[in-house]
């Protein structure tokens, strides 16, 4: 229950004028009836009745609080709440505080983030403004609890886009911090890509190329820490693709961590083996027409290092070999 | 291990008799979706007679929101695109779309009006945008055979914008790649006959999907996340649509899904020894069907309906 529920209860309101609309009679054989279930069923009955009347009131607002508390994904209750807030001149700052409490209380409540963005839009459409740093703090708090909370990250991206926070210092530091805490946190990598390069092509060319070089460097530092991390390799390749740069430049870097690259004798394969490095190296060999090297990498990936996907590696190897024989003949 | 077919049929059949349990009431907002999940599981096991057809159809029609024209998840709830698709899928499964009768024009209008200028769809008037809703709306219109060029091109453009640098798809453009979003985006393109728009990116997408298999054979939704039975559907469908279903290990995945069955109550859970639910039950079974195991009714990856049912839907673009 959110804190408003602690100070205010549905019983504080008079419901005598409301005839709850139940859906159907219960089976009389119900033996293990749960009291809370009765209470919740009654609330659903009230909700149906109030919706039918289209009542916008303080008690209706409280009712939605209670229903959303029980069932965070109750779309009808969310829509209804939004309409009530708009129609009863609800203090929007209080509504944002309510959102925050619901979020902290129920981290898996996904609807709250879209709802919060609607309230912010409402505030701004009425000429008001919100403190962005407060929004950042709230989402930081949430991500501290669950560093991969999809909807909190989506909300964070909404903020970045809406308030043009690309390459913003706080976003930079936050993602760096989160990647440092868990280098395999794909959500943090995804956010960083968005923050750093989400407006690529819209910025000054100098800014773009500076960012590209900086982020290639960052990705490689992180790969050095954990060479088998697919998120960092995706990030690196994503930048090359976006900036249309030639991946050949990373051949030697890949060779540091790939199997069968001729340097494996310089290190312990087990400790440094990286599947993404090997795959990327094979691609680089392929592009530079070094087909026999590429083919042997695909072969060893399918047979030894990644047998669950052997058909994938086999497809790549066969395609290469048939291209090879086509050129020879 | 085998599929506990009879137990699963009983499990689904009994779902609606648990009205004395709190869980039943807490899932009211998903009831129509739940009916579809249950019915679809039964169809895949060729046991659809476990539900009384006329009762189900009556319930579907009672969920119609007369003000909006779409369907809510339960009588007197507001119409939402997710429950609307469930309603249409159920009627299609029962070959009973004609029961929409005079409701159909308003229904089509409800769905089409949810499309925004950028081609995306919101779930309802509330305005939440998610590539899931695009897929849902497109499948609705496809089953109703009411797609048009304008809607299709907008939806295609939006879905393509959800494709990320890593080969996955996100909830909205820029959002983190997630296997469930790959399913809805690829499903949309497949239904609209627009898969060729992916051109050179097909292999990267397929590769991202195949990387979802983890050591125990299960599939996850994002890198470094735990496997979950429902991803058997979200991931496999994308691979099937792109023609690379064999890039993951089928036997290991089958073992994983079967290990999530409850051998006492029936039903399938997300992970071994967890509480079963109808959602994971249907997507576990649908995954097995897609892999060709357990002698199940063949399922269509783009629609999550039996192939025989999908064969009766007019393909877009329509011939004049």
């Amino acid at each position: 229950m959110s804190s408003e529920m602690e100070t205010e209860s549905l019983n504080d309101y008079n419901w005598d004028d409301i005839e709850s609309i139940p859906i159907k009679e219960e089976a009389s054989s119900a033996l293990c009836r749960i009291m809370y279930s009765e209470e919740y069923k009654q609330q659903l009955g009230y909700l149906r009745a109030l919706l039918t009347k289209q009542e916008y009131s303080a008690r209706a607002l409280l009712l939605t609080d209670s229903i959303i508390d029980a069932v965070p994904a109750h779309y009808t209750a969310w829509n209804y709440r939004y309409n009530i807030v708009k129609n009863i001149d609800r203090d929007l700052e209080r509504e944002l505080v309510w959102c925050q409490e619901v979020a902290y209380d129920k981290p898996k409540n996904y609807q709250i983030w879209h709802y919060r963005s609607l309230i912010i839009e409402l505030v701004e459409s009425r000429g008001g403004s919100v403190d962005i740093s407060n929004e950042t703090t709230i989402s930081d708090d949430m991500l501290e609890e669950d560093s991969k909370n999809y909807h909190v990250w989506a909300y964070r991206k909404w903020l970045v886009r809406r308030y043009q926070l690309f390459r913003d210092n706080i976003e930079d530091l936050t993602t760096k911090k989160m990647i440092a805490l868990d280098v395999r946190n794909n959500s943090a990598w995804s956010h960083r890509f968005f923050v750093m390069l989400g407006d690529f092509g819209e910025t000054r060319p100098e800014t773009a190329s500076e960012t590209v070089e900086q982020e290639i460097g960052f990705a490689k530092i992180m790969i050095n820490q954990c060479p088998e991390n697919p998120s960092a390799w995706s990030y690196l390749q994503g930048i090359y693709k976006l900036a249309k740069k030639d991946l050949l430049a990373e051949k030697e870097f890949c060779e540091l961590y790939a199997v069968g690259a001729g340097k494996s004798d310089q290190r312990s394969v087990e400790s440094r083996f990286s599947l993404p490095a090997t795959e990327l190296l094979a691609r680089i060999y392929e592009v530079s027409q070094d087909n026999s090297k590429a083919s042997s990498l695909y072969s060893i990936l399918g047979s030894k290092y990644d047998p669950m996907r052997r058909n994938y590696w086999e497809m790549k190897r066969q395609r290469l070999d048939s291209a090879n024989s086509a050129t020879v003949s | 291990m085998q599929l506990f077919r009879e137990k699963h049929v009983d499990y689904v059949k009994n779902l609606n008799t648990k009205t004395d349990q709190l869980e039943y009431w807490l899932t009211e907002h998903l009831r129509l979706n739940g009916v579809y999940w249950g019915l679809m599981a039964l169809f895949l096991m060729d046991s659809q007679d476990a539900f009384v057809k006329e009762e189900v159809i009556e319930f579907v029609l009672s969920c119609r929101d007369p003000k909006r024209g779409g369907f809510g998840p339960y009588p007197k709830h507001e119409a939402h695109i997710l429950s609307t698709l469930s309603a249409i899928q159920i009627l299609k499964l029962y070959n009973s779309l004609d029961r929409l009768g005079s409701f159909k024009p308003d229904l089509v209008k409800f769905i089409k009006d949810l499309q925004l200028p950028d081609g995306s769809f919101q779930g309802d008037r509330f305005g939440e945008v998610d590539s899931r809703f695009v897929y849902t709306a497109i499948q609705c219109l496809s089953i109703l055979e009411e797609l048009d060029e304008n809607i299709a091109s907008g939806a295609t453009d939006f879905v393509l914008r959800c494709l990320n640098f890593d080969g996955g798809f996100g909830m909205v453009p820029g959002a983190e790649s997630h296997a469930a979003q790959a399913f809805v985006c690829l499903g949309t393109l497949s239904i609209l006959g627009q898969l060729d728009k992916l051109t050179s990116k097909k292999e990267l997408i397929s590769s991202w999907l195949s990387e979802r298999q983890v050591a125990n054979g299960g599939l996850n939704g994002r890198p470094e996340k735990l496997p979950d039975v429902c991803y058997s559907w979200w991931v496999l469908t994308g691979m099937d649509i792109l023609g690379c279903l064999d890039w993951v290990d089928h036997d290991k995945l089958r073992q994983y899904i079967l290990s999530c069955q409850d051998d006492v109550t029936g039903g399938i859970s997300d992970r071994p020894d967890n509480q079963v639910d109808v959602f994971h039950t249907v997507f576990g079974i649908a995954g097995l069907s897609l892999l060709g195991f357990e002698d199940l009714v063949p399922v269509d990856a783009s629609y999550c309906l039996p192939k025989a049912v999908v064969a009766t839907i007019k393909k877009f673009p329509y011939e004049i």
Side-chain angles (χ1 to χ4, degrees):
Chain A
M1 296 265 161
S2 71
S3 73
E4 252 176 81
M5 285 298 293
E6 284 157 24
T7 53
E8 206 180 3
S9 130
L10 287 172
N11 296 329
D12 296 344
Y13 290 90
N14 187 348
W15 300 86
D16 293 348
D17 58 319
I18 298 298
E19 196 172 330
S20 169
I21 305 182
I23 285 299
K24 60 177 180 183
E25 288 305 310
E26 285 314 290
S28 54
S29 65
L31 293 173
C32 53
R33 203 168 287 235
I34 303 165
M35 283 315 288
Y36 183 61
S37 167
E38 284 304 315
E39 189 187 320
Y40 181 67
K41 268 156 59 187
Q42 188 189 35
Q43 290 178 12
L44 289 178
Y46 285 156
L47 179 71
R48 280 187 269 273
L50 294 183
L51 277 168
T52 308
K53 285 176 57 179
Q54 293 199 48
E55 177 178 309
Y56 303 125
S57 63
R59 68 176 178 181
L61 190 73
L62 194 64
L63 182 67
T64 59
D65 174 288
S66 181
I67 288 174
I68 286 166
D69 182 64
V71 182
H74 202 300
Y75 279 108
T76 301
W78 281 108
N79 291 7
Y80 185 38
R81 184 173 183 94
Y82 183 64
N83 286 326
I84 297 167
V85 165
K86 274 208 306 200
N87 280 287
I88 65 170
D89 259 332
R90 161 91 164 160
D91 177 351
L92 296 180
E93 247 170 70
R94 276 188 66 194
E95 190 64 4
L96 285 174
V97 171
W98 176 82
C99 287
Q100 187 173 339
E101 285 166 354
V102 172
Y104 285 164
D105 193 42
K106 288 252 162 77
K108 290 280 175 194
N109 184 329
Y110 298 140
Q111 277 67 29
I112 191 72
W113 299 101
H114 171 63
Y115 184 81
R116 187 174 183 91
S117 74
L118 285 181
I119 298 298
I120 288 177
E121 284 171 1
L122 195 58
V123 168
E124 294 182 346
S125 75
R126 290 178 179 175
S129 66
V130 290
D131 180 359
I132 306 302
S133 67
N134 188 38
E135 299 308 303
T136 308
T137 307
I138 294 169
S139 43
D140 277 350
D141 287 350
M142 296 298 297
L143 293 171
E144 206 168 298
E145 287 293 308
D146 173 5
S147 63
K148 299 176 183 177
N149 187 320
Y150 194 89
H151 287 76
V152 175
W153 282 113
Y155 180 72
R156 190 79 172 218
K157 281 175 179 156
W158 177 82
L159 289 173
V160 170
R161 201 190 308 265
R162 185 175 178 87
Y163 300 105
Q164 291 293 305
L165 303 177
F166 296 105
R167 286 169 303 284
D168 173 83
N169 199 24
I170 290 176
E171 298 304 303
D172 177 20
L173 291 175
T174 304
T175 48
K176 268 193 180 143
K177 190 183 88 189
M178 295 200 63
I179 289 169
L181 277 172
D182 172 10
V183 75
R184 288 170 174 262
N185 183 344
N186 194 61
S187 304
W189 282 101
S190 162
H191 190 71
R192 185 163 182 92
F193 197 88
F194 186 77
V195 165
M196 290 298 165
L197 300 153
D199 61 349
F200 188 83
E202 295 159 31
T203 56
R204 290 183 310 131
E206 307 88 80
T207 310
S209 69
E210 201 178 295
T211 311
V212 162
E213 292 313 316
Q214 173 198 307
E215 291 312 296
I216 287 175
F218 175 71
K220 287 163 76 170
I221 291 171
M222 290 299 130
I223 288 171
N224 286 333
Q225 281 185 18
C226 177
E228 62 272 30
N229 175 15
S231 300
W233 285 97
S234 287
Y235 190 84
L236 180 67
Q237 292 178 71
I239 299 169
Y240 269 87
K241 200 169 192 177
L242 187 70
K244 299 196 170 63
K245 283 170 68 84
D246 191 352
L247 269 166
L248 201 60
E250 300 300 348
K251 186 173 156 192
E252 286 187 9
F253 183 67
C254 291
E255 283 173 343
L256 287 175
Y257 300 113
V259 280
K263 299 200 178 176
S264 52
D265 48 339
Q266 296 169 15
R267 60 189 154 80
S268 144
V269 172
E270 282 66 32
S271 65
R272 302 301 271 176
F273 165 66
S274 162
L275 197 145
T278 313
E279 179 169 16
L280 180 55
L281 182 61
R283 244 182 73 201
I284 290 173
Y285 284 152
E286 215 180 311
V287 173
S288 43
Q289 307 284 312
D290 210 342
N291 287 1
S292 65
K293 277 189 179 170
S295 177
S296 71
L297 283 188
Y298 290 141
S299 177
I300 193 174
L301 281 168
S303 62
K304 187 170 175 192
Y305 292 101
D306 190 20
M308 282 204 301
R309 296 201 297 156
R310 58 189 166 275
N311 291 337
Y312 169 61
W313 301 116
E314 187 55 17
M315 179 279 297
K316 287 189 151 264
R317 193 188 62 77
Q318 281 182 7
R319 188 174 59 192
L320 201 61
D321 289 354
S322 63
N324 237 356
S325 59
T327 8
V328 172
S329 64
Chain B
M1 199 184 271
Q2 294 278 307
L3 183 73
F4 305 130
R5 190 184 279 256
E6 279 163 34
K7 285 222 157 59
H8 298 322
V9 172
D10 283 344
Y11 167 75
V12 172
K13 194 175 163 180
N14 292 328
L15 281 173
N16 224 29
T17 60
K18 295 179 178 160
T19 55
D20 56 324
Q21 293 183 5
L22 175 62
E23 195 199 347
Y24 180 87
W25 294 96
L26 289 181
T27 54
E28 182 186 279
H29 67 292
L30 282 173
R31 187 58 33 77
L32 196 51
N33 312 60
V35 172
Y36 159 72
W37 294 328
L39 184 63
M40 187 56 201
L42 293 175
F43 262 88
L44 290 176
M45 295 185 287
D46 198 19
S47 302
Q48 52 272 33
D49 293 344
F51 277 3
V52 182
K53 175 176 171 180
E54 193 50 36
E55 276 178 19
V56 175
I57 292 177
E58 284 299 324
F59 176 71
V60 169
L61 296 174
S62 75
C63 291
R64 186 173 168 270
D65 173 354
K67 207 159 62 182
R68 310 275 165 230
F71 290 82
Y74 203 73
K76 297 212 185 282
H77 280 232
E78 273 201 51
H80 192 281
I81 195 67
L82 295 174
S83 37
T84 297
L85 175 62
S86 295
I88 293 171
Q89 285 174 317
I90 293 166
L91 293 175
K92 182 69 188 173
L93 280 167
Y94 279 138
N95 193 22
S96 298
L97 283 176
D98 58 324
R99 297 290 291 275
L100 287 169
S102 59
F103 298 154
K104 191 177 165 186
D106 281 352
L107 172 60
V108 172
K109 187 175 183 316
F110 164 75
I111 301 163
K112 290 188 173 179
D113 284 353
L114 293 173
Q115 194 171 30
L116 300 170
D118 67 355
S120 65
F121 280 81
Q122 45 189 0
D124 54 19
R125 294 176 308 120
F126 194 42
E128 187 179 1
V129 168
D130 184 328
S131 44
R132 264 189 320 154
F133 304 150
V134 179
Y135 166 78
T136 310
I138 293 300
Q139 185 182 161
C140 284
L141 293 173
S142 170
I143 295 175
L144 296 170
E145 302 182 357
E146 292 282 351
L147 285 166
D148 65 45
E149 197 48 56
N150 201 21
I151 288 172
S153 66
T156 302
D157 289 349
F158 180 79
V159 159
L160 290 173
R161 286 174 52 218
C162 294
L163 177 60
N164 285 322
F165 62 92
D166 56 7
F169 289 85
M171 181 174 81
V172 290
E176 187 187 0
S177 296
H178 191 291
Q181 310 294 338
F183 162 70
V184 295
C185 291
L186 293 169
T188 301
L189 296 174
S190 164
I191 290 173
L192 294 174
Q194 300 291 325
L195 286 168
D196 54 342
K197 292 267 163 61
L198 294 172
T199 55
S200 60
K201 291 170 189 138
K202 272 186 195 173
E203 193 172 316
L204 181 65
I205 300 167
S206 307
S207 174
W208 186 87
L209 288 168
S210 70
E211 283 170 15
R212 304 280 60 77
Q213 191 163 37
V214 302
N216 70 5
L219 303 173
N220 66 12
R222 292 184 265 166
E224 302 299 322
K225 298 281 283 186
L226 291 172
D228 179 327
V229 158
C230 67
Y231 292 112
S232 309
W233 183 252
W234 316 128
V235 175
L236 283 183
T237 47
M239 302 186 73
D240 189 48
I241 288 169
L242 295 176
C244 62
L245 196 55
D246 64 343
W247 288 7
V248 289
D249 189 318
H250 291 192
D251 290 323
K252 284 193 121 178
L253 177 56
R254 172 176 176 268
Q255 286 307 324
Y256 179 77
I257 297 173
L258 293 178
S259 72
C260 295
Q261 299 180 102
D262 187 319
D263 59 358
V264 179
T265 63
I268 299 174
S269 56
D270 56 352
R271 283 184 273 283
D273 301 321
N274 280 0
Q275 177 72 38
V276 299
D277 60 61
V278 67
F279 177 85
H280 290 91
T281 302
V282 66
F283 291 119
I285 292 173
L288 292 170
S289 164
L290 210 54
L291 294 174
F293 289 124
E294 312 299 330
D295 197 24
L296 294 159
V297 170
V299 65
D300 181 276
S302 307
Y303 288 82
C304 198
L305 291 172
K307 280 192 166 165
V309 171
V310 172
T312 68
I313 300 170
K314 194 163 72 173
K315 292 287 163 291
F316 185 82
Y318 306 136
E319 286 170 30
I320 310 153

